[in-house]
Amino acid sequence: MDSVRSDREGSGQRVPLALKILIAGGFGAGKTTLVSALSEVRPLQTEEILTGAGVGTDDLSGVEQKSTTTVAMDFGRITINDDLQVYLFGTPGQDRFWFLWDELAFGALGAVVLADTRRLADCFPSIDYFEQRGIPFVVGVNCFDGARRFGLESVRDALDLDPGVPLVLCDARDRQSAKLVLISLVEHVARQRGEPVPVA
């Protein structure tokens, strides 16, 4: 497969191959933070302030300090080299924005599901979504300050994850930690496709 395409106007310029990765998870799991940590450009964010209109709709238990929410998507970009770019699409975490997911997921290489152990059940809908559509995914357990820590096997059991789904600890604020989650996803996709996975 060619890693680049020529532009349509015939100028001979090479257009980089674009890979699309979704960043999903429950409300307040750290999706916007992860996209912001990874993106080389100022990320597009559709954050709005939580208002009284969300009372009874937005469950803030466990994330009481949260003051904004994503109402459409987050978008970021990573340039791997001249021939390859990765586009990151952060999904909205609330049920009322699920109508956007099919459009965001179209053509995705795979997804990262961020899990918050304070609200672990919130990532079940994301896991179910990707499992039902056959979209490869990994689960990144976002280690929030002050949150109780659990072993990965305990989290895997609680989420009832297939043994083949990678599960990694991460800090969504830290670029290097977030990069390791993406690497885990790309390696997972390569293994599923029977492609060689480089040994680090």
Side-chain angles (χ1 to χ4, degrees):
M1 173 169 90
D2 291 336
S3 62
V4 294
R5 302 171 302 259
S6 295
D7 71 348
R8 293 183 182 174
E9 296 164 6
S11 67
Q13 290 184 337
R14 293 161 50 111
V15 177
L17 177 68
L19 299 178
K20 181 181 191 179
I21 294 177
L22 298 183
I23 310 299
F27 178 62
K31 300 175 297 292
T32 298
T33 302
L34 187 106
V35 171
S36 296
L38 286 168
S39 183
E40 68 193 17
V41 296
R42 182 176 176 205
L44 168 69
Q45 298 176 340
T46 57
E47 291 279 291
E48 293 295 332
I49 299 200
L50 291 169
T51 66
V55 174
T57 303
D58 299 325
D59 178 11
L60 294 175
S61 58
V63 290
E64 291 83 2
Q65 302 305 313
K66 187 164 177 57
S67 61
T68 61
T69 188
T70 300
V71 296
M73 67 174 188
D74 300 310
F75 174 79
R77 185 187 76 208
I78 304 168
T79 300
I80 305 299
N81 56 42
D82 290 343
D83 297 331
L84 180 62
Q85 292 184 339
V86 177
Y87 294 140
L88 304 170
F89 288 83
T91 64
Q94 296 153 290
D95 293 347
R96 65 181 180 266
F97 299 119
W98 273 84
F99 67 93
L100 297 168
W101 277 55
D102 286 338
E103 288 299 320
L104 291 174
F106 182 77
L109 175 74
V112 171
V113 176
L114 281 179
D116 177 353
T117 58
R118 300 169 300 181
R119 300 166 53 105
L120 202 54
D122 287 1
C123 67
F124 281 124
S126 299
I127 290 170
D128 291 343
Y129 181 89
F130 299 122
E131 284 179 341
Q132 290 169 5
R133 286 159 182 80
I135 297 173
F137 68 96
V138 301
V139 176
V141 179
N142 194 5
C143 299
F144 286 90
D145 292 338
R148 185 172 169 203
R149 301 286 196 259
F150 296 90
L152 286 177
E153 286 311 309
S154 296
V155 174
R156 180 178 296 283
D157 290 344
L159 293 175
D160 194 27
L161 284 180
D162 181 88
V165 175
L167 178 67
V168 295
L169 296 174
C170 69
D171 181 342
R173 302 167 297 183
D174 180 74
R175 182 176 174 83
Q176 189 60 33
S177 179
K179 281 171 51 176
L180 293 174
V181 176
L182 291 187
I183 290 168
S184 176
L185 173 63
V186 171
E187 290 175 347
H188 177 54
V189 170
R191 279 191 296 273
Q192 283 194 332
R193 294 180 176 182
E195 298 172 5
V197 177
V199 178

